[in-house]
Amino acid sequence: MSKVIYKRPRYLKPNIFHYCPGCGHSIIHRLIAEVLEELDIGEKAICVPPAGCAVLAYNYIDVDMGEAPHGRAAAVATGIKRMLPDRVVFTYQGDGDIAAIGTAEIIHAANRGERITAIFVNNGVYGMTGGQMAPTTLPGQISTTTPSGRDLRRDGPPLDLSEMLAIARGSVYIERTAVNSPKNIRNTKRAVEKAFKVQLADLGFSLVEILSQCPTNWKMTPQDSLKHIDNVVTKFYPLKVIKDETGL
Amino acid sequence: MSEKVLMRGTHVIGEAAIRAGCRFYAGYPITPQNELTEYMAAQMARYPGRVFIQAESELSAINMVIGASMAGARAMTSSSSPGISLKQEGISYLAGQELPAVIVNTVRGGPGLGNIAPTQGDYFQATRGGGHGDYRTIVLAPYSGQELADLTVKAFEYADRYRNPVMILADGMMGQMMEPVVLPEPIDPVTLPKGDYILDGAKGRPSRLVKSLYLDPPVMEEHNWKLFRKYQQIAREITTWEDFMIEDAKLVIVAYGTCARIAKGAIRRLREMDLKVGMLRPITLYPFPSKPMKELTLKVKSFLVIELSTGQMLEDVRLAVEGRAKVHFYGRPGGVVPTPDEIAKHTNLIYHRQGLEGEDYE
């Protein structure tokens, strides 16, 4: 007797990812698809993808999708969720999208306690546009707009968006995870599952910040980019539950 | 048939929207249209399943409307000029994604912060698209309380029919004016047909996608031409205007909204003086009534465009008459609203300078 132990999740389309080798997006897409299937919510899920590398998320995640202007995903998701309160509505946003141009939208969605889930993929750069400085670019990190490294006097320090959102009274669950090792990938899946459960239980706003590797714009090999998350990124952005008032 | 009620213009728009089945409204405070937002806050709460949100920004309000529209709801936002500038991003996306929505612009003085007095300085922004990209917004210009009600209902109908944003272009005068109005019969939103594009979860059907991203130029080109064909269809089907005392007119005033209302008073005065003056009043600013205007040039050789601006619709009138008639202009920007007397005086002057007072000279 043979037993299937690994297969394509139901809500992942059989398309070849356009992402660069070593990119974290494809892992995160798969985790979301797995959770949608395991919680049996794929048929009532609506995703709002971002502008950025994951703008083509609709080629991979097989649920209803409504594209938002850059940064506005939380507002678009608010409109959807308020009209369809029994559906599962989630945004998928990069760090430039959610932590720079979309800060107003996400802070107020969190503060209103919108029953939406935000998947915040933090790779510390604007990937799609070619590796410019993001609000999350680390001190000294080289990007195309910080050619000699992020200068704290000139550019300010990286923004702790998740910690800021934790202050908002309407948010109930915020956790920072990573997808650079099997252990961290499993933990990210657990966090994503929990975030959706928070929404299903009508508890409030939930967000999972996922530290993701961008070997292309970090100018690293995929292997080095995985180590870089452990050795450098998590020192600045520690993996932890930032807020949990769910009782789950 | 409902009976007549006396209502303020902003409230008429709100009540007509609710009766047209508007299920979602998001707004942000800005003068001179706060009464509309406040009306929606109070009234939407009376209906189960309808949502009012005071958004944190104009951007957020229009993007919430995008979301509600994706979810299949009749959705509306409103603002005044500076706020409408901020909403242009969202309006461009609505056009590109072919989503219905109604946007009310109670136009105030500009550019910049300007003032809060009635003007018509947003004509270009409204009729030329306003945001980025090759698109058009349907623009309706009410000139009375009754039209505020009727055109609000039409705005929702057109938005759904053409899957396109529709703008109601009013001003502070329209908004503050109290007039007797017959309100439309209420529609139960549940009875409205459900679009085959809406996002409500892929249960028992393939997943859907609402987007405006077309990376492949030939595909983007076809999308642009598809939108263009839609705008042509819109022009054929809904172009609306009013002819006023036009049969024997030698001079035809072209004005819309508040300006048209004042011009009517002026025309009545001029008619008492035996001046053959009429008016063509565009009700849809986009699509613009170019065809009737062009046809009018067969017998009318003098037009006078009157606007509360330095001359914006003026360009559309010139394009419509294609040099077949002389086009004069009288504009009062900045929130200065001329009286019927001033308009009559100015019209009289042009009428006589053109030698139109004599017997028919053809």
Side-chain angles (χ1 to χ4, degrees), chain A residues 25 28 92-95 119-123 208-210 212:
Chain A
H25 276 306
I28 298 164
Y92 188 107
Q93 302 177 261
D95 40 336
I119 306 296
F120 163 22
V121 180
N122 178 1
N123 62 11
V208 183
E209 175 183 347
I210 304 169
S212 182

Side-chain angles (χ1 to χ4, degrees), chain B residues 122-183:
Chain B
D122 293 0
Y123 180 92
F124 280 152
Q125 186 195 51
T127 58
R128 266 60 179 168
H132 63 282
D134 206 347
Y135 78 94
R136 296 291 185 152
T137 306
I138 297 169
V139 185
L140 309 178
Y143 99 127
S144 67
Q146 190 58 52
E147 267 193 2
L148 284 173
D150 299 345
L151 292 181
T152 299
V153 176
K154 282 246 185 305
F156 282 100
E157 286 172 7
Y158 293 159
D160 280 352
R161 190 191 305 167
Y162 301 109
R163 288 181 55 183
N164 206 68
V166 178
M167 181 174 285
I168 298 171
L169 199 69
D171 59 46
M173 190 86 91
M174 284 287 122
Q176 295 303 321
M177 206 167 56
M178 286 186 85
E179 282 191 318
V181 174
V182 179
L183 291 165

Side-chain angles (χ1 to χ4, degrees), chain A residues 75-86 112 114-115, chain B residues 14 17-18 21-27 36-55 60-61 64-65 67-69 71 73-78 156 189:
Chain A
V76 172
T78 296
I80 298 172
K81 182 71 181 189
R82 292 290 185 114
M83 287 295 94
L84 300 166
D86 62 343
R112 283 191 305 267
E114 293 295 341
R115 272 46 174 175
Chain B
I18 289 169
C22 175
R23 280 205 290 138
F24 185 90
Y25 172 93
L36 174 52
T37 310
E38 288 159 3
Y39 189 86
M40 296 308 270
Q43 300 301 316
M44 290 291 264
R46 296 175 53 214
Y47 301 86
R50 303 208 192 191
V51 171
F52 165 89
I53 301 187
Q54 180 172 331
S60 217
M64 288 176 186
V65 163
S69 181
R74 284 193 161 178
M76 181 168 95
T77 182
S78 68
F156 282 100

